[in-house]
Amino acid sequence: MTRIAGTNWGLNKDLRKRLYKTVAERVILHGAAAWAYPLSARQSRLLNSIERKFLLNITGAYSTTPTAALQVIEGIIPPHIKAEQEAACVRTARLRKTSNYNNINFNPNNYEDGTTSNKFHPAIFQL
């Protein structure tokens, strides 16, 4: 991203943010359900350090700006929180296992199973 955006040329701030959210963040959090439950402190620091480079490029802020401040300025949820949310969601909805997030237990029996399928194809019926 650094190569496609200078201080007064290249992609504007909104496009850089959209590019980060749609591409980079999805690549960083790919497979979070497998590796982010539970998330260790080392993994959390690593995710923040990866995201920091993108946030500095998006905002154009000084390199001494704290990562938390950059996240607040851009309205971006920290990646360790998104990874934990995604892991809890996948464990509950797809794997049908009980998961815990922020001391809240999510039981898959409390949610509908969205895997209903038709036994007959609509083309079979004579209307």
Side-chain angles (χ1 to χ4, degrees), residues 36-100:
Y37 193 82
L39 194 67
S40 69
R42 182 178 179 274
Q43 289 172 321
S44 177
R45 285 191 309 271
L46 179 63
L47 287 172
N48 274 332
S49 70
I50 292 170
E51 185 184 53
R52 177 177 175 73
K53 296 171 188 166
F54 289 101
L55 289 173
L56 286 171
N57 184 275
I58 292 169
T59 60
Y62 292 115
S63 60
T64 56
T65 308
T67 305
L70 294 171
Q71 291 166 341
V72 170
I73 289 169
E74 286 303 314
I76 294 177
I77 298 173
H80 65 279
I81 293 175
K82 289 194 77 137
E84 288 176 344
Q85 287 175 342
E86 192 169 318
C89 181
V90 169
R91 284 181 59 86
T92 304
R94 301 251 169 93
L95 301 177
R96 308 296 290 166
K97 293 182 179 179
T98 302
S99 62
N100 185 4

